């Protein structure tokens, strides 16, 4: 049976110091940046996905040892494994995986880690269940937990259910973090791809007070003439 050590060995075998240095800059791991202190091995995402697929049967005890790693790519690979396990799991096991995910959110601590997992685990699990945990996360002081709340609703949007997303976008309209502006704007744009009238209604109520980044993301697919109407404040 495979263990976390097998995953680590596969990852370290393809580590590249040059990629690691680039990743430190790309994921803002410098002093005072949002990813401050994060460590990188230097492994490209497609290679991490291949390794995650190989070890998709890994038990949660071993996944826990990976998701708590100091290395960014090890945590991301652990999340890929978790998503793969969730997709194949029974309803009972999915509940266990969702609980595991919630218990380890402190390690889902950069935008790619959030975006690769929230929709596929929390979004799917919570779609037809009590969503109060999403609003609790949206109130958290952690930037990443607030982003998890927003990205979780991406699954809901795919099901043409926009209510929670719109409530979060309204709730977080005064959030100070640019990565939240990007996340909420992105989700609004996704709503607009499905239902432009719903997005337009939201914009007409809030465009004057929305952060500029949130607004630009939301209207990115609009014709130039329409974009200019909203951008003139």
């Amino acid at each position: 049976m495979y263990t976390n050590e097998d995953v680590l060995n596969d990852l370290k075998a393809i580590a590249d110091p040059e990629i690691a240095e680039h990743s430190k800059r790309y994921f803002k791991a410098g002093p005072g940046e949002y990813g401050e202190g994060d460590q990188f091995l230097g492994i490209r995402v497609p290679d991490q996905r291949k390794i995650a697929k190989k070890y998709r049967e890994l038990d949660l005890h071993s996944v826990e040892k990976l998701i708590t790693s100091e290395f960014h790519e090890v945590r991301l690979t652990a999340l890929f494994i978790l998503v793969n396990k969730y997709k194949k799991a029974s309803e009972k096991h999915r509940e266990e995986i969702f609980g595991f995910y919630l218990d380890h959110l402190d390690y889902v601590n950069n935008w790619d880690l959030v975006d690769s997992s929230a929709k596929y685990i929390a979004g799917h699990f919570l779609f037809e269940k009590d969503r109060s945990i999403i609003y609790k996360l949206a109130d958290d002081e952690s930037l990443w937990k607030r982003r998890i709340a927003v990205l979780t609703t991406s699954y809901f949007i795919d099901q043409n259910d926009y209510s929670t997303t719109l409530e979060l976008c309204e709730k977080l309209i005064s959030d100070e973090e640019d990565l939240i502006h990007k996340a909420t704007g992105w989700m609004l744009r996704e709503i607009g791809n499905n239902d432009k009238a719903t997005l337009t209604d939201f914009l007409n109520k809030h465009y004057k007070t929305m952060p500029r980044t949130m607004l630009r993301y939301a209207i990115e697919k609009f014709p130039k003439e329409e974009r200019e109407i909203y951008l003139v404040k």
Side-chain angles (χ1 to χ4, degrees):
M1 181 177 290
Y2 291 129
T3 71
N4 56 291
E5 290 297 332
D6 295 311
V7 180
L8 281 172
N9 289 337
D10 279 10
L11 288 170
K12 289 180 178 179
I14 56 173
D16 185 323
E18 289 188 13
I19 296 175
E21 284 301 315
H22 171 77
S23 295
K24 284 182 182 179
R25 296 190 298 272
Y26 185 69
F27 290 106
K28 308 296 183 184
E33 295 181 310
Y34 59 69
E36 181 176 0
D38 207 353
Q39 301 297 309
F40 296 85
L41 291 170
I43 306 166
R44 299 190 187 282
V45 170
D47 294 323
Q48 293 175 64
R49 288 191 181 277
K50 288 178 184 177
I51 291 172
K53 185 176 181 180
K54 176 181 176 180
Y55 295 105
R56 61 174 174 254
E57 301 300 329
L58 202 68
D59 63 85
L60 288 181
H61 177 70
S62 294
V63 175
E64 182 173 35
K65 291 181 179 297
L66 297 173
I67 205 170
T68 56
S69 171
E70 64 182 316
F71 293 107
H72 186 106
E73 297 96 336
V74 178
R75 299 198 304 280
L76 182 57
T77 301
L79 289 166
F80 286 151
I81 292 171
L82 205 61
V83 169
N84 290 341
K85 289 175 73 66
Y86 182 90
K87 288 178 179 178
K88 299 290 186 180
S90 65
E91 183 62 26
K92 182 178 180 180
H93 195 202
R94 281 177 172 174
E95 184 173 3
E96 181 183 7
I97 292 170
F98 172 69
F100 177 94
Y101 183 67
L102 286 186
D103 289 343
H104 295 84
L105 288 187
D106 287 344
Y107 301 97
V108 187
N109 56 355
N110 212 310
W111 60 264
D112 61 322
L113 305 177
V114 172
D115 299 1
S116 298
S117 60
K119 171 182 179 178
Y120 306 103
I121 299 176
H124 184 278
F125 185 80
L126 293 171
F127 178 58
E128 295 182 335
K129 297 181 177 67
D130 178 9
R131 300 180 183 182
S132 58
I133 183 63
I134 299 174
Y135 297 92
K136 183 178 179 181
L137 290 172
D139 283 330
D140 200 279
E141 64 180 15
S142 164
L143 155 64
W144 305 119
K145 290 180 181 178
R146 298 199 305 279
R147 187 173 174 105
I148 287 167
V150 176
L151 266 293
T152 290
T153 72
S154 179
Y155 182 84
F156 307 165
I157 295 170
D158 288 348
Q159 317 311 313
N160 299 313
D161 179 346
Y162 314 129
S163 58
T164 303
T165 309
L166 294 171
E167 288 172 6
L168 290 187
C169 288
E170 188 170 34
K171 180 183 182 68
L172 295 169
I173 207 163
S174 59
D175 198 285
E176 296 181 356
E177 294 286 351
D178 188 60
L179 283 171
I180 298 299
H181 304 166
K182 290 178 178 178
T184 50
W186 173 19
M187 292 301 99
L188 288 171
R189 185 180 70 220
E190 292 303 306
I191 290 174
N193 288 341
N194 294 350
D195 185 342
K196 187 174 180 180
T198 296
L199 172 56
T200 300
D201 183 59
F202 183 91
L203 291 173
N204 290 343
K205 293 176 182 176
H206 300 292
Y207 80 95
K208 291 183 179 179
T209 57
M210 289 168 66
R212 202 70 165 179
T213 298
M214 180 181 179
L215 177 60
R216 286 188 178 278
Y217 269 61
I219 63 176
E220 186 176 18
K221 298 291 182 68
F222 282 17
K224 181 180 178 181
E225 295 77 14
E226 288 186 54
R227 293 201 307 272
E228 290 177 348
I229 292 171
Y230 287 107
L231 290 170
V232 176
K233 293 187 179 181

